[in-house]
Amino acid sequence: MKKRNNENMSISEVLKEFVDHNKLQKGLDKVTVKDVWNQQMGPAIQKYTTAIKLEGSTLYIQLSSSVLREELSYGREKIIKMLNKELGRELVKKLVLR
């Protein structure tokens, strides 16, 4: 980490600098997007979600219910907006339901 003259850095600033310096953001994003999916979609959908994978800006969701997959496909854009809002930035650009 770079040394700074300002000794009064907040913990969030120190953590952000550590994450940036060690190139950890992609790994954190993968964990965070899983948490946000489960939190925003709720326990009913979480029960049918068998895999969540973030590759670049594409989020792959594997579902055990073809009926649910079809139903969610109609609201794909709304789901992307909701996830990005909760993530605080435009991380997910494409949603693939399998």
Side-chain angles (χ1 to χ4, degrees), residues 25-97:
Q25 193 60 53
K26 283 185 183 181
L28 288 173
D29 287 344
K30 290 178 182 184
V31 173
T32 304
V33 81
K34 286 180 184 181
D35 292 342
V36 169
W37 171 267
N38 289 327
Q39 173 193 348
Q40 292 298 308
M41 300 309 285
I45 292 175
Q46 182 180 357
K47 187 170 81 173
Y48 293 103
T49 303
T50 57
I52 302 170
K53 187 175 185 181
L54 180 66
E55 286 184 9
S57 61
T58 303
L59 181 60
Y60 296 92
I61 302 293
Q62 190 160 349
L63 300 164
S64 60
S65 166
S66 59
V67 174
L68 179 60
R69 182 172 41 250
E70 185 70 23
E71 196 66 34
L72 290 179
S73 70
Y74 296 118
R76 193 171 279 161
E77 290 302 314
K78 185 177 179 184
I79 293 169
I80 291 171
K81 286 180 184 174
M82 177 184 61
L83 294 173
N84 285 331
K85 182 179 180 192
E86 190 64 28
L87 290 163
R89 60 194 169 101
E90 198 170 313
L91 179 62
V92 179
K93 290 189 170 53
K94 185 177 178 186
L95 177 63
V96 177
L97 302 168

